[in-house]
Amino acid sequence: MTESVLLRPMEGETVTDRPERTLRILAELEQLIVTWFRYEPGEKGPDPHIHRHHTDAFYVLEGEVEFRLGPDITSFRGGPGTFIAAPPQVVHTFENSSDATAIFLNIHAPSMGFGDRIRGRGRDDFDQEDPPEDGGRPLEEAVASLPGQGERFERMNRELVIKGELPQLSVFDLTFNPGWKGVEPHAHDDHVDAFFVLEGEAELIASSEVVRAGPGTFVAEPLGIRHGFRANTGAAALRLLNLHAPDAGFADAVRRG
């Protein structure tokens, strides 16, 4: 059986490490691949392009990244807490146009062989094409959720923010205040559930392992793997980035409470 992916800060498969950039694979599953990027000032991503069959998304952890989306290559600049998602056939690109280091997560859902592509193993069949003559899908079909933005729900001892909801991927910014008791172990048979600790500390239950997790810890739970959280172990709030691939109705479940 596939096991949980559990990584401490700076762990993962490093596929590129040069002065101008670092690329590290955190999780590679059929439903999604999560990569950690470091871009130095002036570092550019690929030329504007589309994916026909999967969503390409980004979450900024440090610094500032400039994203360009849609037929007119509309620019969005965002710092920590920015979430950008280009669903299939939305033109997009990105770069670090600032004067400071930028660190961000990149999520492809489903993974579609992106891991082999960045490992340099070819993959001429990878789902990536130049922008179509008609400009692709409109900008309004992309997600651009800047810091502080999102669909917000206040619940007892916690705040849940839907940063983006697409069929292939939904992303949440979750804050749990001291006194929160945790989530009982459970499993999903229809989607991958993944977490990146942004602030604070908690005990994560991943498969049969219980680990104390601080900022930078990453966990991905494949289909059918039991997982949960124990009570917040610190005096400060716990804040998590939570990914569901595909969404499988999870965003609606959050709305319903």
Side-chain angles (χ1 to χ4, degrees):
M1 177 183 292
T2 304
E3 294 294 324
S4 299
V5 176
L6 173 60
L7 300 175
R8 301 293 189 180
M10 309 308 293
E11 292 182 342
E13 180 189 350
T14 300
V15 296
T16 298
D17 193 13
R18 304 196 298 266
E20 66 273 20
R21 71 167 69 178
T22 298
L23 277 64
R24 184 175 296 125
I25 297 174
L26 302 185
E28 185 176 15
L29 301 166
E30 178 183 348
Q31 295 81 5
L32 89 169
I33 180 170
V34 181
T35 48
W36 182 98
F37 281 30
R38 172 189 59 84
Y39 267 29
E40 293 303 318
E43 187 67 3
K44 295 183 178 181
D47 290 337
H49 61 280
I50 64 165
H51 305 296
R52 292 199 177 274
H53 305 293
H54 76 278
T55 292
D56 193 0
F58 306 84
Y59 186 89
V60 180
L61 297 170
E62 298 179 21
E64 183 181 78
V65 181
E66 181 176 2
F67 301 94
R68 299 189 184 97
L69 296 165
D72 297 323
I73 317 296
T74 302
S75 177
F76 297 86
R77 295 171 66 99
T82 297
F83 175 70
I84 300 290
Q89 302 187 53
V90 170
V91 176
H92 59 285
T93 187
F94 58 94
E95 65 177 286
N96 180 1
S97 57
S98 76
D99 58 2
T101 300
I103 296 174
F104 54 99
L105 300 179
N106 179 213
I107 307 109
H108 289 252
S111 57
M112 302 290 290
F114 181 68
D116 281 345
R117 177 70 171 247
I118 62 174
R119 290 183 182 102
R121 295 179 184 170
R123 290 304 300 250
D124 291 338
D125 61 338
F126 179 64
D127 175 34
Q128 180 166 315
E129 300 179 10
D130 292 336
E133 291 185 3
D134 64 5
R137 291 169 66 181
L139 174 65
E140 293 74 20
E141 297 189 27
V143 176
S145 180
L146 299 179
Q149 295 181 346
E151 195 175 347
R152 192 174 306 272
F153 301 89
E154 299 280 353
R155 305 274 163 74
M156 184 178 298
N157 283 335
R158 62 195 188 277
E159 179 182 76
L160 316 177
V161 179
I162 301 175
K163 294 292 286 182
E165 177 191 5
L166 295 166
Q168 294 172 322
L169 175 71
S170 56
V171 173
F172 308 84
D173 189 322
L174 310 178
T175 300
F176 302 97
N177 295 316
W180 172 66
K181 299 302 182 183
V183 175
E184 292 296 322
H186 61 284
H188 305 291
D189 61 6
D190 57 357
H191 70 277
V192 170
D193 196 0
F195 305 87
F196 188 94
V197 180
L198 298 171
E199 300 173 12
E201 188 177 79
E203 287 187 344
L204 303 180
I205 304 167
S207 299
S208 58
E209 189 174 2
V210 178
V211 296
R212 180 162 290 186
T217 302
F218 176 79
V219 178
E221 306 293 355
L223 305 187
I225 299 298
R226 289 175 60 80
H227 59 282
F229 302 98
R230 289 189 176 170
N232 192 343
T233 58
L238 168 69
R239 183 165 162 246
L240 303 170
L241 181 70
N242 181 210
L243 317 174
H244 291 256
D247 170 64
F250 192 83
D252 278 343
V254 168
R255 293 186 182 100
R256 292 193 301 268

